[in-house]
Amino acid sequence: QQGIEKPKGYRVSWHHNPLVERYHFGQLHPMKVWRLTLTKSLIMGYNMHHAMDVYSPPAATKEEIAAFHKEDYVEFLSVATPKNIAEMYPELAQPTGYSSAVYGVGDDCPIFDGLFEYCAYYSGASVDAARKLVNQQSDVALNWTGGLHHAKKGEASGFCYINDIVLAILELLTHHPRVLYIDIDVHHGDGVEQAFWSTDRVFCVSFHKYDKEVFFPGTGPLDSTGPIHPDNPGRNHTINVPLNDGITDQDYAYLFDYVIGAVTRHYDPTAIVLQCGADSLGHDRLGCFNLNIKGHGHCVQFCVDYCTKFKKPLLVLGGGGYTPRNVARAWAHETSVCIGAADLVDPTLPEHMPNREAFRREGMTLFPNLGGWRTQNLNTKADLDKIIRSVTEQLKYVRG
Ligand code: VJV
Ligand code: CA
Ligand code: ZN
């Protein structure tokens, strides 16, 4: 469905610095920068860039990054290279494996050539996107290269080094009293949650696979809703939706619509930031859900409709996603949702575009069946209802 009709002058901006595509985490590392190239191919193959303002933003500066991150950590990232890291920190090269003692670097977060430039490019795009929203030069701003939600103030974590989401939200907070952060990556958005744990000016909602001690990062149970202390303004301003393997489009949409519907009514955000990690799709290399492209895109449609209806800015970011061709399908479809053209795109992939062959595995369609029960749905009706009850109870304490 097309969603709500876009008002005259509705502007969508796409923030993408192509230089991010040049970096590599390593041959066997699941994070493939190639997915960003594929995403761009599809978006442009469908000619969707003509319906957006396209920006190639500059790299974020150290000063911009230091708005959230510790200076010594930023300095470390900017000087570390694969060559000098072993000399500076011999303990990292121990045969027992990479220790995470030094700023979180290790197997998940390797030091690769040009690491800091890579971080500065994806972060610069999120900061630029947030600024365009704040200046009202854009209504919906997209950065598919961002959304790196695990990075902490002074530590890399889970393939994330600089938390571009936190930087973008800090930018929005200069003009917006209340920002709603929504995270549909299969992993818990712990870095963003932690950064805004003690404030009521950001409301964090993450949907994720939760299995303490088994599934990364192991945080985000249902009862983790903000600080316990009654005087802390952040109290009740976090919602975690822990899920089991195999959740379907239908169950996910049921929870998303209920939770985000209720949060928007109670909290009345003035801006929304949506992290669209595509590892919640079926057939993801690291994920375990059964979502299809349209099931994932439903969440984007919901936010676009809400933001259009109430004239609120929306920042749409990427995130995880480890089956590159499906990541590209999802983010291309979600771009079409943002420009209000979801019904206009031909599900058969464009004849003329770079890297078209990369999509052959599932057939040349934008909407392959990804829900094919690789893992069955282990979320029961009772599980879903427990979440609904908990959220309903919690929100009684939010504005109202
Ligand atoms: O589960 C973990 C941590 C370990 C220690 C490190 N080893 C490599 C893996 C287990 C406990 N880390 C997760 C991190 C997931 C990050 C998700 C990021 C996002 O999508 O939320 C946002 C962008 C994890 N799962 C799978 C792997 N790491 C993994 C890492 C590798 C790898 C294979 C799997 C790193 C290098 C290589 N293979 C060669
Ligand atoms: Ca999540
Ligand atoms: Zn993830």
Side-chain angles (χ1 to χ4, degrees), residues 183-185 187 206-208:
D183 186 314
I184 62 169
D185 190 288
H187 299 98
S206 176
F207 298 80
H208 46 266

Side-chain angles (χ1 to χ4, degrees), residues 19-62:
L19 295 175
V20 288
E21 299 167 47
R22 296 197 301 190
Y23 301 91
H24 296 278
F25 280 65
Q27 268 279 291
L28 298 173
H29 197 287
M31 178 57 104
K32 304 292 183 199
V33 177
W34 159 245
R35 70 209 183 109
L36 304 172
T37 306
L38 280 185
T39 302
K40 188 174 74 178
S41 286
L42 263 188
I43 290 173
M44 296 181 70
Y46 276 114
N47 279 319
M48 292 195 274
H49 53 303
H50 296 303
M52 304 186 273
D53 293 320
V54 183
Y55 297 97
S56 183
T61 64
K62 280 190 191 176

Side-chain angles (χ1 to χ4, degrees), residues 138-151:
S138 176
D139 300 299
V140 178
L142 313 177
N143 172 21
W144 297 122
T145 70
L148 298 165
H149 59 179
H150 298 304

